[in-house]
Amino acid sequence: RRKRRKPIPMESPPTVGKPEKQPRKLRRSAFVCWARELSGGSLPYECEPVSPRSSAFREHFCLRCRSEGFAIPSSRIRVATSDGVPMRRWNQRTAGVWNCLPGQGDTLPWPPHRVCNQTSGCTGPKLVILRHETSDSLPGLARVSGTAPISFRVGRTLAPAGSHAAADLIPAARAARPP
């Protein structure tokens, strides 16, 4: 075995007029709760600022929204169908809540949106929350039936809560068909 020599400490030249740089602590910034963004600002309460401790989805929501859930107007929710739209990519990892920014290459042909109820532990159809209401027909998406806001709970993804899990999410086109 070779012995390692200890390096000889060298004196650094004195700095003139510049203070020595101190190491900075990594500060986490506070962000807006994603429930406020997803609901379109229609929450009946103010969310606390969020400081995510990790990149986990639920970390982007305030404690109140995580524990109580929140509602989104049904006019901005669609059910994902497989009508000619390749579903290779669901949610993109970006700095924000919305997907499908123009000019990002291989994106779905939808306006800014968030896909939810899409993880392996979810039951029911995959849902797409649109950033803005639209009356346009969107490929691969069907309107939900009903006009009441739909409640969601926060977990690994957003999932419909309570009675909304099945009956309210049947696409309007299918609900209008006779049995």
Side-chain angles (χ1 to χ4, degrees):
R1 286 186 161 183
R2 289 183 174 177
K3 283 188 175 182
R4 289 190 178 183
R5 289 184 176 183
K6 290 184 179 178
I8 301 171
M10 296 180 71
E11 288 186 34
S12 57
T15 56
V16 179
K18 291 185 180 179
E20 212 173 290
K21 287 188 178 182
Q22 299 294 322
R24 289 188 282 176
K25 287 185 179 180
L26 183 63
R27 285 190 231 158
R28 296 182 192 272
S29 300
F31 297 97
V32 173
C33 173
W34 278 12
R36 173 136 322 268
E37 292 284 323
L38 288 164
S39 70
S42 64
L43 297 177
Y45 53 85
E46 285 297 317
C47 295
E48 294 293 320
V50 178
S51 296
R53 289 182 275 183
S54 72
S55 62
F57 177 74
R58 67 185 157 274
E59 291 290 321
H60 294 89
F61 294 85
C62 70
L63 293 175
R64 184 173 184 176
C65 291
R66 279 195 240 176
S67 62
E68 296 176 14
F70 58 95
I72 298 174
S74 61
S75 60
R76 293 184 30 241
I77 299 173
R78 302 289 188 271
V79 176
T81 64
S82 57
D83 299 343
V85 177
M87 302 294 179
R88 288 187 294 267
R89 187 187 309 178
W90 286 105
N91 287 318
Q92 301 165 357
R93 293 188 181 263
T94 62
V97 65
W98 304 111
N99 294 309
C100 201
L101 300 174
Q104 284 190 337
D106 187 25
T107 59
L108 297 170
W110 303 331
H113 65 279
R114 180 84 194 176
V115 180
C116 60
N117 206 44
Q118 85 285 13
T119 60
S120 60
C122 294
T123 58
K126 291 173 177 57
L127 302 174
V128 175
I129 301 167
L130 302 175
R131 185 174 190 176
H132 303 287
E133 284 186 32
T134 182
S135 58
D136 296 345
S137 176
L138 299 170
L141 298 180
R143 292 183 183 277
V144 296
S145 60
T147 57
I150 297 177
S151 297
F152 286 87
R153 60 181 169 73
V154 179
R156 287 180 46 220
T157 183
L158 287 181
S163 65
H164 296 295
D168 288 348
L169 302 178
I170 298 169
R174 275 193 242 155
R177 291 183 198 154

